[in-house]
Amino acid sequence: MRAAILLALAGSALVIAAAVLLASSRPRDLSARARAIESTLRCPTCQATSVADSPAQAARQIRQVVEQQVRDGRTDEQIRGFFADRYGTWILLDPPTTGPDIVVWILPAVVVVGGVIVLVRHARHARQANHDSGTADLATRQGGPRLAESAVFGAMVLALLAPIPAALGLRPAGAPASGGAPSTTPTIAQLEAWVAADPSDARILTQLGDALLGAGDLPEAASRYRAALTVDPAADAPKLGLAAILIESGRPDVAVTLLDGILGTNGASADALFMRMVANQQLFGRADARVRADAARFLEVAAGDDVRRTTVESLLAASDANQSSAASASPGSPAP
Amino acid sequence: MIAAGGYAFTFLGTGSAVLGLIAAIQALRGRWPSGIAVMCAAASAVGFAGASVLMIVALLARDFSVSYVAQVGSRSTPALFTVSSLWAALEGSILLWASLLAVVTVAAARWVTSRPPDRRPGVLAVLHALLAFFGILLLGPGNPWRPVFPVPADGPGPNPLLAQHPLMVIHPPLLYLGFVGLAVPFALTVDALWHRRLDDRWIADASRSTVVAWIPLTLGLTAGAWWSYAVLGWGGYWAWDPVENVALLPWLTATAFLHSAMVGRRTGALLGWNVALVSASFLLTLFATLVTRSGVLQSVHAFTLSAIGPLLAGLVAASLIGTVGLAALRTPAGRTGSIGGIRGAAIMANNLLLVAVAATVMAGTVFPLVVEAVDGSRVSVGAPYFERIVGPIGAVLLGLMAAGPLLPWGRWTDRIAWRLVTPLFGAVVGAVAAAAAGLGAAGVLGTAGASFSLFATLLSVARRSRLRPLSVRRQGGLVAHAGLAVMALAIVLAASGRADAEAQLRPGQVVSVAGHRVEFLSTAAGSSSTGMTVEASLVLDGTAFEPGPRLTVSSLSNQAFATPAVRPGVLGDVYVALLDADPASGTVTVRVSTYPFISWLWVGGVVLALGAALTLAQRGRGSEAVIAAEAAAVRAGG
Amino acid sequence: MTVTFRVTPPSGMDRGPGVDRPAASFDLQTLDGRRLGLGNYAGRPVIVNFWASWCPPCREEAPLLVQLARRAPQGLAVVGILYQDTAENAQRFVDEFGVPYATLLDPQGTAAIDYGLTGIPETFFIDRTGMIRAHQVGVLSQADIDAKLRTIAGP
């Protein structure tokens, strides 16, 4: 019986090997080679499809170049290098086997080897345990440590709650993103690197200013905002930042002038209205007509879920309450 | 008006879920009867299902004062795709998620009741917590009912790619049903861990409910692949796109669990491993929702644009921490014992490889996102990488799948070796046929492997029907294996046997590919709901090729979509994509491809799901005694 | 292939391995039938702008480029290269905006490939010595132009 099995094994192996040899001995024609190369190149204008598969025009043009180069007798590596040179290695669908990308190549092997080790140890352990007692040890772990369970529960609650403060400051999912502006909150270090790479980008400069302002570094933030304004004098965002700094550093009067300028061209800027309201409140108290006018206008123009609404509403309500006492405040006095 | 009603229903669903969570916890502590939590589940299902129905009504009524309708509706979208717009964007798909989860929760509550001890409190606590989370998303940051003012006269409509083919109508609900279905075995496992009751009934019910979820998941993945093939025009069905990859991950671990559960049921071993697989499957569905629904794929930087992304990330983190913590603290040491002879060893090898595939897919999907988030650079992990790693592992898995059912739950004997040698005949026939058909070396090897697998599976079916003619359930697994073997064969043959030609044609010119003649007659311009279209009329092998391939230039984005024309066949498809049409010269550029046997991929997917459904049939409550007896026999003998 | 990773700020910034390398030469036909290459501009700073009439951001930035080409500071030349568009549509665009600079036809996409184009608009800033000094993916603002012009100004 063993002999028959071995014979059958050897026989089928032989036939299959012969079939594979026959198949691989056939010369690969040029178009097959071109196709193989194309399937490793990313279509530059698509999401994730290869040049070989994509119906996009850009992919078709690259296919023509690949086919031409294959006909010209260039090697696969030369052709792939030609495109990597122009588009960067991003154009190659395979991650390189050097550098940090090596992680993705080794990981599957690590999982398999690690799994085998765990399984073998488990099997040995099981055999050992069978020798020793053969009884299940359900009881030994009963009454697991209470403290650990509470810690797990606490960590779960923390993980659920942690994103909420971040989430509250964000706009609802359906709202359109503002025109292509960087939309994450990068670190100050990252922003500084980007500014160093391109010191003339007003948006990044403003973001850096915002980040520095958030970190409490007012002078540095101010200098970034000013740099942003030098690049783009019409931008509102750096002016808002400067206004915030002025309010913070006790010059709400100057902030009001700046904000008047913004609101002169864009009267519906909720940010500017809110800030002018705050500045005027510091100057004249919350019952001042200018504060109330800005507050009312803010409530008109601000997004429905703007978190500042509550503040403004409570301010209006509070100032309604002592409206009479505030009536003596001089209305309409020009901003200094 | 509809918006207020919809919000009220959403509120009912969420409020009932929160109440249900409280009721379930009280029931766990023995204070309230568990029936209260069950009633809350029903109320929650009414709430979320009602909200979904109202949203569909609002979509059909083109009520653009509702923010979600203004976002995805349009007057020119046909009714079918207007209904399916419910899941065309973020908020709507969360609403669908919540509705399906609520319905699944009610079904689970009914299903677990019949068997004391009462596991409803634990199971409902988990499911209600999830429902409450998604409900809160819908009431707050993901509210689809926000008023829009002024009311727009028309909307942009859904993404044009999603409104072209009826497969897109069934694919997302099936996938979501599979996803939320996996919450049930997860909830059963959390309950079992909580009560330290990882017993025979837990493993039996967890695997049964996993099968129930696995069926729509499998069908959903197949429908997605088929849609990609029929609509996207690049001729493939699986691009290893992150959206596809993350949906595959839970399928891989759930498949692994379905097999390791067999070992668990027989020997009681592998407790921790089975807990890990069930939990991973469900956590991966949350991860898939996070990745596809947080905007992280458009750009890592879009992630924080909406509050939903961070909140979902919080849910994934909390679930992971809770599950790992609970499992670490409360998993009893496994009943020691063998893993079930060489059959068990083969199943463990299958598990290991399935997990390795999942790890590969996960790494390849997440790594570029991590790198981009850390230093802003773009790295490329594309199809060639996945194919190079998943291909060989898949081949070994295919071999194990073929051999597994032929192996005994005991020791190796020469008779078994003989059983394994017989299907080699299939491999030989496959290899010779593939070589004769002119396939390449990889194609010949792949065909040999897939035919070995198919032949071995068919032999197993024959053997089993001889042994136990009426046991349908015992054949279900083999039917599923046969489906997968057919899929493997289709994948290999379509990939290695394909032929392509790209040609620029004037009217009357012909391009020939693999014996098929495609003649170009003329083009016709028109407009569809999504934009301007050009359709080419072609003649394929003497008969009109209708509908012809189309090129649609979206009226909104100026992107061009090449909708292919496909003539399916038992032996292979002819697939024509219109790449370019030049109205001035009247010429078109077409790519004509032939894909041998590709239709069998969809057939195989359906057979795969059918096989799984068969395992559910013929196994009522009485079968538990059978399993217990079988398990006792194995333990006594092993 | 020394550049493995590219540091890319989120959007609209410099991208690609093209910066600080010699600009690829091209020799293409203009809309009005002349042949024109990068060599024709030897010794002058050049802005190469890839565009198409169907691309809304291209319409947005066209007036800025037209204005810049009219001013032509320090002998600056602007060259447009058409991307996946027909000559007729391009001519209409040129007439509409009064585009004073040459528009080159690139029917085979060779220039687009040589410049590693991933979409339009994309704009390359080339200094007098023929080196690419800055690169813009996406629409140009006046601030972008002013800043990137600085990188190719001077001798």
Side-chain angles (χ1 to χ4, degrees), chain A residues 1-2 4-5 8-9 11-12 15-16 19-20 22-24 26 35 39-40 42 47-49 51-57 60 63 89-96 100-101 103-105 107-108 111-112 115-116 119 122 125-126 129-130 134-138 141-146 148-149 152 155-157 159-160 163-164 166-168 170-175 177 183-185 190 194, chain B residues 71 90-91 133 141 146 196 232-234 239 241 269-270 301-302 304-308 310-311 314-315 317-318 321-322 325-326 328-339 348 352-353 355-356 359-360 363-364 367 373-374 378-385 388-389 393 414-415 417-418 421 424 427-428 431-432 434-435 438-441 444-445 448 498 500 502 562 579-580 589 591:
Chain A
M1 184 118 144
R2 289 231 164 144
I5 290 170
L9 265 178
S12 3
V15 178
I16 294 174
V20 170
L22 175 74
S24 53
R26 272 192 285 263
R35 217 197 124 68
S39 66
T40 64
R42 179 188 296 271
Q47 286 268 327
T49 25
V51 162
D53 290 326
S54 172
Q57 191 175 348
R60 260 191 300 144
R63 285 202 286 271
T89 48
W90 169 80
I91 197 80
L92 306 174
L93 278 168
D94 260 353
D101 293 18
V103 174
V104 293
W105 288 108
L107 187 91
V111 170
V112 172
V116 167
L119 270 183
H122 175 87
H125 179 80
N130 267 347
T135 53
D137 55 346
L138 267 171
R141 288 218 215 162
Q142 287 280 6
R146 282 251 141 184
E149 281 177 12
V152 167
M156 276 177 76
V157 172
L160 270 178
I164 290 178
L168 282 180
L170 297 161
R171 77 197 76 155
S183 46
T184 181
T185 43
Q190 257 175 318
W194 295 344
Chain B
Q71 191 190 338
L90 176 66
E91 293 93 336
F133 177 87
R146 277 174 289 124
R196 297 189 173 84
L232 296 185
W234 60 281
D241 189 76
L270 304 178
H301 309 286
T304 49
L305 262 185
S306 119
I308 292 177
L311 292 174
L315 176 71
I321 293 168
L326 195 61
L329 293 171
R330 297 207 171 185
T331 305
R335 279 163 289 184
T336 48
S338 76
I339 54 166
M348 283 328 290
L352 203 58
L353 294 178
V355 170
T360 304
F367 183 71
V374 170
R378 292 197 290 182
V379 290
S380 180
V381 181
Y385 162 79
R388 217 178 294 175
I389 294 196
I393 300 182
D414 281 358
R415 281 219 0 251
W418 193 239
V421 165
L424 277 177
V428 169
V432 171
L439 300 189
V444 169
L445 266 179
R498 70 181 280 182
D500 306 86
E502 201 170 306
L579 303 183
D580 199 6
T589 308
R591 183 162 67 189

Side-chain angles (χ1 to χ4, degrees), chain A residues 21 29 36 47 49-50 90 99 104 130 134 146 161 171 192-193 202 204 206 225 227 254 304 311 316 336:
Chain A
L21 268 178
D29 62 346
Q47 286 268 327
T49 25
S50 71
W90 169 80
V104 293
N130 267 347
R146 282 251 141 184
L161 296 185
R171 77 197 76 155
E192 267 169 352
I204 294 295
T206 310
Y225 287 134
V254 189
T311 325
L316 270 179

